[in-house]
Amino acid sequence: MIAARLNGPADFAGWRREARRLALARVQPENVAWLTGEDDAGLFATDSTAPAEGEGPALTVSRRFIDLAENVVCHRDAGRFVLLHRLLLRLQDEPRLLDNAADFDIARAEAMARSVRRDLHKMTAFVRFRAVSGADENGPFIAWFEPEHFILERAAIFFTGRFAGMIWSIMTPQGSLHWDGATLQLGPAASKADAPDTDAMEAYWLTYYANIFNPARLKPKAMKSEMPVKYWRNLPEAELIVPLIASAARRAEDMVMRAPTQPPERHVRQLRHRPEASADDPAITSWQDAAAAAQRCRRCELHCHATQTVFGEGPLDAPILFVGEQPGDQEDLAGRPFVGPAGQVFDRAMKEAGLDRARAYVTNAVKHFKFQLRGKRRIHEKPNVGEIKACRFWLDLELQFVKPRLVVALGASALRSLTGHAGALASARDRELALEDGTPLVATVHPSFLLRLPDEEARAREYARFVADLARVQQRTFRH
């Protein structure tokens, strides 16, 4: 038997080096003992027949196999190195082997890779940082997580990118990661007792979680599939899940039976008879004039049923101006933009991206709430092109008085309002855009899009991408 030594259970570079040497020597997988870290070689000898790097015939493998092997090496199955060694040898004689999904070795390797990728996603979704005693807003924070596979080092790049400005540690039974804001260090295995039990911000997180829980969309089986019960013991919000599920039916019924939020008919009649602000109104010489005039707007029929005009808000010297689609039910009642569930997601993402909402101007392409009445509930309805064009008058005034350094379109309706034509948000999201006057324009999704996604995995993935978009906005606006 030949001993192949690795520096750890997920040492891909070490496996790649040793597997190449063994494959060049045509050493068979059953004749190799793979030793990780502190494993004892016992009676095994060191390989003395394998050629050194650069000697012997060349090995040929595709990038696809390398990607597969990087994931499989992280799997907890003790036979993973033997499996990959065997596949490496077979690929030299069967170059199209990876295309054979029915092959036992290929099917096993692909299943192991999927399991590792899923574990990586669960770690990025379910790690919860808690502040240590005496921590400030930047930390230090500590999180406890129990991965199924050896994924700690693979996950490090996500956390150093996502939480670059924080000081944090992630403790696991396999090892630990420590980030001081500039340097990442690997540490020894830890226990759950090494992490805090709670912190002062947790009460706010639990309040937020309870308020975004939608009983009408509850699907317990799907929820447990995306948030397996085995993770619950380390999630602070887990204490709310059981009572929220138990009360979901009653809460959904209450939502249906709740009194409608549409304005009374007499209010609609009053709105219909208010004078309309003219696009050439000489009285509009300031933002305050525009905000007051917008309350009398009759440029389209949406004013007939909405409670009130929801004008933008924020400092008039704001460097960034955000444009959403239209006010929702809660915004219509409050008279302020982005105060409902989508607004809460927006605020959270802004903070994670290093942006201060208090320094931004936030508005909508359409200033009145468009909805359909279903029973006693007002359901959001997408504004049409005519309504978007009619409301562009008010958005132009806001742009004129705020004069932002950068404008962000949140969603396709906002993008259409700002550019004047339809376009795919997906392609615009990755392009350099500008308004007619040259003001830089960035396109991303509306935060309500994140709330409509069907599963936890998709929400976590798209939320991370939304935060990344906002982080780029922050860098473009304040890099000078």
Side-chain angles (χ1 to χ4, degrees):
M1 294 290 284
I2 297 173
R5 292 186 177 275
L6 304 178
N7 292 328
D11 179 13
F12 174 73
W15 174 84
R16 187 176 184 179
R17 180 185 63 252
E18 293 301 312
R20 182 181 186 279
R21 290 167 60 87
L22 293 165
L24 287 171
R26 305 303 290 185
V27 175
Q28 295 304 303
E30 61 268 20
N31 295 326
V32 180
W34 293 90
L35 307 177
T36 59
E38 299 177 355
D39 290 343
D40 186 0
L43 300 177
F44 296 120
T46 304
D47 178 16
S48 59
T49 62
E53 291 286 334
E55 298 180 12
L59 287 178
T60 302
V61 292
S62 65
R63 180 70 240 181
R64 181 179 169 188
F65 175 72
I66 297 299
D67 292 340
L68 176 68
E70 282 184 310
N71 282 308
V72 173
V73 161
C74 297
H75 201 278
R76 67 186 305 167
D77 190 317
R80 62 194 182 279
F81 300 116
V82 174
L83 171 64
L84 289 173
H85 184 183
R86 184 164 59 249
L87 284 173
L88 179 61
L89 290 175
R90 292 184 62 190
L91 281 165
Q92 306 314 302
D93 301 321
E94 305 172 68
R96 299 186 64 83
L97 177 62
L98 291 178
D99 295 328
N100 185 4
D103 183 88
F104 179 81
D105 285 344
I106 295 298
R108 183 183 172 199
E110 291 287 0
M112 293 167 71
R114 285 194 300 272
S115 183
V116 168
R117 288 193 295 268
R118 182 174 176 83
D119 201 30
L120 275 166
H121 169 71
K122 296 306 179 187
M123 183 170 182
T124 60
F126 297 143
V127 160
R128 298 289 184 265
F129 287 107
R130 286 166 166 163
V132 302
S133 178
D136 59 24
E137 63 179 8
N138 295 320
F141 300 93
I142 294 179
W144 169 255
F145 189 75
E146 300 174 37
E148 183 176 353
H149 303 294
F150 302 108
I151 61 170
L152 190 60
E153 292 183 52
R154 290 285 303 279
I157 189 171
F158 171 85
F159 289 100
T160 55
R162 177 77 175 274
F163 304 104
M166 289 170 38
I167 299 171
W168 50 260
S169 296
I170 300 177
M171 309 290 196
T172 81
Q174 302 170 3
S176 52
L177 298 174
H178 306 283
W179 175 255
D180 63 5
T183 305
L184 181 71
Q185 292 184 337
L186 300 178
S191 69
K192 189 173 183 179
D194 296 323
D197 292 330
T198 186
D199 69 12
M201 289 298 295
E202 207 150 277
Y204 296 100
W205 164 240
L206 295 179
T207 299
Y208 168 75
Y209 185 85
N211 278 277
I212 65 170
F213 182 85
N214 187 344
R217 298 181 63 185
L218 176 64
K219 296 180 180 179
K221 289 185 178 179
M223 185 188 74
K224 290 179 181 178
S225 173
E226 297 303 323
M227 185 189 290
V229 175
K230 68 180 180 180
Y231 294 107
W232 289 15
R233 62 180 177 270
N234 295 321
L235 297 176
E237 64 268 30
E239 66 183 64
L240 300 177
I241 294 176
V242 172
L244 285 172
I245 291 176
S247 64
R250 176 184 54 78
R251 292 178 61 194
E253 184 178 354
D254 289 346
M255 290 170 63
V256 174
M257 299 303 296
R258 192 174 302 151
T261 54
Q262 71 178 95
E265 182 61 27
R266 63 179 181 277
H267 183 52
V268 173
R269 288 196 298 269
Q270 291 169 0
L271 285 170
R272 286 177 178 149
H273 291 88
R274 286 183 179 179
E276 177 184 1
S278 167
D280 302 318
D281 191 342
I284 301 179
T285 59
S286 67
W287 179 90
Q288 290 77 9
D289 292 338
Q295 299 303 318
R296 305 188 302 273
C297 180
R298 295 175 56 200
R299 303 178 68 83
C300 71
E301 293 300 313
L302 294 184
H303 76 280
C304 296
H305 299 287
T307 304
Q308 59 191 312
T309 302
V310 181
F311 209 63
E313 67 175 17
L316 298 185
D317 61 349
I320 310 173
L321 188 147
F322 289 90
V323 183
E325 180 191 78
Q326 65 163 341
D329 182 82
Q330 294 189 32
E331 288 81 4
D332 175 69
L333 297 174
R336 297 180 56 212
F338 285 85
V339 295
Q344 295 173 20
V345 173
F346 177 67
D347 289 348
R348 175 185 166 203
M350 287 275 284
K351 185 174 182 180
E352 291 187 20
L355 291 167
D356 182 2
R357 174 165 173 172
R359 288 286 300 124
Y361 187 91
V362 182
T363 190
N364 284 296
V366 174
K367 310 301 185 190
H368 287 110
F369 179 33
K370 182 177 182 179
F371 61 92
Q372 288 183 345
L373 197 60
R374 294 183 188 172
K376 297 183 178 181
R377 298 173 58 202
R378 298 194 299 177
I379 305 300
H380 165 276
E381 186 177 3
K382 187 179 180 68
N384 60 39
V385 176
E387 291 154 352
I388 292 173
K389 288 182 176 179
C391 230
R392 178 60 196 261
F393 167 67
W394 301 113
L395 182 56
D396 282 341
L397 288 174
E398 291 174 294
L399 291 167
Q400 172 188 328
F401 293 127
V402 177
K403 295 182 174 62
R405 297 206 297 266
L406 186 144
V407 176
V408 181
L410 300 172
S413 294
L415 182 62
R416 178 160 197 156
S417 175
L418 289 162
T419 62
H421 55 80
L425 180 64
S427 60
R429 195 172 182 179
D430 300 321
R431 286 167 32 214
E432 294 287 334
L433 305 171
L435 302 182
E436 290 183 357
D437 64 0
T439 303
L441 172 64
V442 172
T444 185
V445 297
H446 193 284
S448 63
F449 163 75
L450 307 174
L451 296 174
R452 294 193 299 269
L453 292 172
D455 59 74
E456 190 71 27
E457 182 174 347
R459 283 193 293 274
R461 181 179 64 251
E462 291 301 325
Y463 176 78
R465 189 180 176 196
F466 181 55
V467 172
D469 287 345
L470 296 183
R472 286 192 290 273
V473 167
Q474 193 275 344
Q475 292 166 4
R476 288 186 61 177
T477 308
F478 299 106
R479 60 188 170 190
H480 301 304

